[in-house]
Amino acid sequence: MNPNYFTAGPSQIHAQFANIYLQGLQLGYGSISHRSATFREIYKHTDLQLRQLLELPTSHKIFFTGSGSEIWERSISNLVEDHSFHLVNGSFSKKFFNYAKGLGKKAAAITMPHGKGFEIEEVMFPENTELICTTQNETSSGVSMPVQDLISIKNRNPNALLITDIVSIAPLSSIPYSHVDSSFFSVQKAFGMPAGLGVWIVNDRCIEKSKQLVTKNISVGPHQSLNDFDTNYDKWETPNTPNVMAIYCLGKIAEEMNQTGMANIQKEIDSKADLLYSFADNNKKYTPVVANKAHRSKSVIVLQCNNSGLLIQKLAEKNLFISNGYAEFKNQEIRIANFPTTSIAQLQILIEELAAN
Amino acid sequence: MNPNYFTAGPSQIHAQFANIYLQGLQLGYGSISHRSATFREIYKHTDLQLRQLLELPTSHKIFFTGSGSEIWERSISNLVEDHSFHLVNGSFSKKFFNYAKGLGKKAAAITMPHGKGFEIEEVMFPENTELICTTQNETSSGVSMPVQDLISIKNRNPNALLITDIVSIAPLSSIPYSHVDSSFFSVQKAFGMPAGLGVWIVNDRCIEKSKQLVTKNISVGPHQSLNDFDTNYDKWETPNTPNVMAIYCLGKIAEEMNQTGMANIQKEIDSKADLLYSFADNNKKYTPVVANKAHRSKSVIVLQCNNSGLLIQKLAEKNLFISNGYAEFKNQEIRIANFPTTSIAQLQILIEELAAN
């Protein structure tokens, strides 16, 4: 059997990726300038396909960075003068919070215990909040925030900007972008590409806010500030030489997803998540870390088990790769990605092996 | 004839790149974690090969970012409390200077006119300088700084840190690393790879300086701070998920260069530079922008000519690609890369076409 990567990302590479990449190389895309007509067509195509896939409104633009985690820093720098507020429900939302503190902002947070999501109506938001930072899908713990919670947050805080980290869920959840000012993801998760590209989605309000900070003489970068991105976006260019090949491949993969149709992709993801959670709920060796079904991630499923290290090793011998628990949960949890790049048949083989080991 | 990219970078892709990339994909390197044993071996191998190629002393470490321009920001953030001093001799060294100002530092600069290098003994360095920022090879104007100037700068300023931008020259010049605290480059220039990876070389003094700033509560990032890089480097890991595939490919290409031998690579680069400058010096239609032969770049050759746009178009019709002049020099200059990925025979064809047009 070929290797099957159910790792939480980098993960299984899209079956067409190698062909797409090679074709891009043959077309000379590894050699072109980011100020060439060819690059502009690539950017435009990727923007168009992602826009359709994510159902982005025209108020939102798409920019490219070196990674998703870079956007933790860029978003705080560009969108916060003093006060950010963070909904922390795992290690990655905590890192986002720490970046804000590291940038010298007066960052505040509400923190949930491991495996718990937020009862959103109970969260009190500080009045002076400029940016509310949420993580829609916590890759460390498998906690997910229902998309309607994003609408609720925005309705209660219409003046604050709302950003959501969708690194390990995009494009599998339907983000209500009319209520979400910014979001971001990496390509090495559900898009099935190697790492090396971050995607940052922002609306006009974000660009305005960044400009206000510049007017106040507050440093917003200076590398790849929102104003730089925006000025270049008008010409379908980027501030600096980006990862052109990855932008090209992302556009082609998004195009392929659009042809399959998000409804079909979602349906298969839902089926696979049901299979895996049903198995774990009915097997004494495994317990889903997220007890509340409304808060269970469908793309990163985290299970408690004994001696996860040995289990991971045994699965690897059968060419089935999963992730260990994150940080302090390394030896007592496993994390299984449910991305479009693995099939139901492959998941069933994994489940059989989980049952047998 | 296949396309020949003499563009100033992104440029001609290394003949073995597609094979190396595909092999990496087949080995699963697109799917592995940056905390896996396999990744650690990749990092170690790339570090070893680059170390040999660049003749790096053990005092210097190698870190990876999303791009070379990102390092303009990271180096200022991590190495400057107040005062940086910039030797500006073109658009890219000016951007480095502007980044320092954008980060709120008290940055000072000495600026040379277009096409002129520095008479280094005449440059007065402010006494309070913490970081001296130089650009060894100006991709915009084709001005190069002789490597012995770096030694001179360091000898006159032993207490300041010295950083040099080697984006479009690495690994073709012999940087005297014992006198240079930091340097950085991108892979889409002389290494013949697509863009998407920056390489940052720093010594212990840089890491110490960054730690001092943290102690003083000065923000050094927080994304990919030198301390984060350094702590992870001890385990051959990186702070965040990097462009693993590019790190792998860079290691393989550096290995191939080591097998060829830098002396042989340098010799061919020198021959090609001589060919091109001799042609321009003896052809009335072209004038090297850099008059002083000691300051002429051997990797990016910039020539004045009439109506460069039309010339570039005519060459493109013959599958020969060169770059236009940078920014305001767009229509009156051309830029020709002399990287190891193009052969003497290919350069001779280009020269024939330059003569004919």
mmCIF file of all heavy atoms in Angstrom, chain B residues 153-161 181 205:
data_model
loop_
_atom_site.group_PDB
_atom_site.id
_atom_site.type_symbol
_atom_site.label_atom_id
_atom_site.label_comp_id
_atom_site.label_asym_id
_atom_site.label_seq_id
_atom_site.Cartn_x
_atom_site.Cartn_y
_atom_site.Cartn_z
ATOM 1 N N ILE B 153 35.198 47.440 6.399
ATOM 2 C CA ILE B 153 34.106 47.986 7.227
ATOM 3 C C ILE B 153 34.183 47.397 8.633
ATOM 4 O O ILE B 153 34.098 48.112 9.627
ATOM 5 C CB ILE B 153 32.720 47.665 6.600
ATOM 6 C CG1 ILE B 153 32.534 48.418 5.283
ATOM 7 C CG2 ILE B 153 31.592 48.026 7.573
ATOM 8 C CD1 ILE B 153 31.285 47.992 4.495
ATOM 9 N N LYS B 154 34.371 46.081 8.706
ATOM 10 C CA LYS B 154 34.383 45.422 10.010
ATOM 11 C C LYS B 154 35.579 45.874 10.845
ATOM 12 O O LYS B 154 35.441 46.148 12.044
ATOM 13 C CB LYS B 154 34.424 43.899 9.816
ATOM 14 C CG LYS B 154 34.187 43.133 11.089
ATOM 15 C CD LYS B 154 32.789 43.389 11.634
ATOM 16 C CE LYS B 154 32.500 42.620 12.884
ATOM 17 N NZ LYS B 154 31.110 42.813 13.335
ATOM 18 N N ASN B 155 36.730 46.003 10.198
ATOM 19 C CA ASN B 155 37.928 46.421 10.939
ATOM 20 C C ASN B 155 37.776 47.825 11.513
ATOM 21 O O ASN B 155 38.254 48.108 12.603
ATOM 22 C CB ASN B 155 39.165 46.349 10.033
ATOM 23 C CG ASN B 155 39.605 44.906 9.808
ATOM 24 O OD1 ASN B 155 39.248 44.017 10.586
ATOM 25 N ND2 ASN B 155 40.371 44.674 8.750
ATOM 26 N N ARG B 156 37.070 48.677 10.769
ATOM 27 C CA ARG B 156 36.877 50.053 11.264
ATOM 28 C C ARG B 156 35.734 50.149 12.266
ATOM 29 O O ARG B 156 35.618 51.151 12.973
ATOM 30 C CB ARG B 156 36.610 50.991 10.076
ATOM 31 C CG ARG B 156 37.871 51.230 9.238
ATOM 32 C CD ARG B 156 37.530 51.978 7.971
ATOM 33 N NE ARG B 156 36.906 53.259 8.248
ATOM 34 C CZ ARG B 156 36.139 53.929 7.367
ATOM 35 N NH1 ARG B 156 35.915 53.405 6.162
ATOM 36 N NH2 ARG B 156 35.615 55.097 7.687
ATOM 37 N N ASN B 157 34.849 49.130 12.288
ATOM 38 C CA ASN B 157 33.662 49.170 13.174
ATOM 39 C C ASN B 157 33.504 47.834 13.903
ATOM 40 O O ASN B 157 32.512 47.135 13.731
ATOM 41 C CB ASN B 157 32.395 49.437 12.343
ATOM 42 C CG ASN B 157 32.474 50.720 11.544
ATOM 43 O OD1 ASN B 157 32.179 51.799 12.057
ATOM 44 N ND2 ASN B 157 32.902 50.608 10.291
ATOM 45 N N PRO B 158 34.503 47.484 14.724
ATOM 46 C CA PRO B 158 34.465 46.140 15.330
ATOM 47 C C PRO B 158 33.279 45.929 16.272
ATOM 48 O O PRO B 158 32.865 44.787 16.470
ATOM 49 C CB PRO B 158 35.799 46.061 16.085
ATOM 50 C CG PRO B 158 36.221 47.478 16.291
ATOM 51 C CD PRO B 158 35.693 48.245 15.123
ATOM 52 N N ASN B 159 32.731 46.997 16.805
ATOM 53 C CA ASN B 159 31.637 46.818 17.772
ATOM 54 C C ASN B 159 30.260 46.716 17.127
ATOM 55 O O ASN B 159 29.328 46.189 17.724
ATOM 56 C CB ASN B 159 31.631 47.961 18.790
ATOM 57 C CG ASN B 159 32.882 47.913 19.647
ATOM 58 O OD1 ASN B 159 33.364 46.819 19.973
ATOM 59 N ND2 ASN B 159 33.427 49.079 19.976
ATOM 60 N N ALA B 160 30.140 47.237 15.920
ATOM 61 C CA ALA B 160 28.843 47.155 15.231
ATOM 62 C C ALA B 160 28.701 45.784 14.588
ATOM 63 O O ALA B 160 29.691 45.141 14.240
ATOM 64 C CB ALA B 160 28.759 48.242 14.174
ATOM 65 N N LEU B 161 27.456 45.348 14.441
ATOM 66 C CA LEU B 161 27.199 44.138 13.658
ATOM 67 C C LEU B 161 27.187 44.527 12.184
ATOM 68 O O LEU B 161 26.768 45.629 11.828
ATOM 69 C CB LEU B 161 25.855 43.523 14.050
ATOM 70 C CG LEU B 161 25.752 42.950 15.467
ATOM 71 C CD1 LEU B 161 24.294 42.591 15.796
ATOM 72 C CD2 LEU B 161 26.646 41.729 15.628
ATOM 73 N N ASP B 181 28.750 39.379 10.204
ATOM 74 C CA ASP B 181 27.939 38.721 11.237
ATOM 75 C C ASP B 181 26.702 38.056 10.670
ATOM 76 O O ASP B 181 26.222 37.070 11.207
ATOM 77 C CB ASP B 181 27.535 39.753 12.300
ATOM 78 C CG ASP B 181 28.744 40.399 12.944
ATOM 79 O OD1 ASP B 181 29.386 39.729 13.766
ATOM 80 O OD2 ASP B 181 29.071 41.562 12.598
ATOM 81 N N ARG B 205 26.955 36.387 17.759
ATOM 82 C CA ARG B 205 26.784 37.777 18.213
ATOM 83 C C ARG B 205 25.379 38.284 17.885
ATOM 84 O O ARG B 205 24.796 39.056 18.642
ATOM 85 C CB ARG B 205 27.824 38.700 17.547
ATOM 86 C CG ARG B 205 29.212 38.612 18.187
ATOM 87 C CD ARG B 205 30.110 39.728 17.650
ATOM 88 N NE ARG B 205 29.667 41.054 18.083
ATOM 89 C CZ ARG B 205 30.013 42.197 17.491
ATOM 90 N NH1 ARG B 205 30.793 42.177 16.419
ATOM 91 N NH2 ARG B 205 29.586 43.356 17.949
#
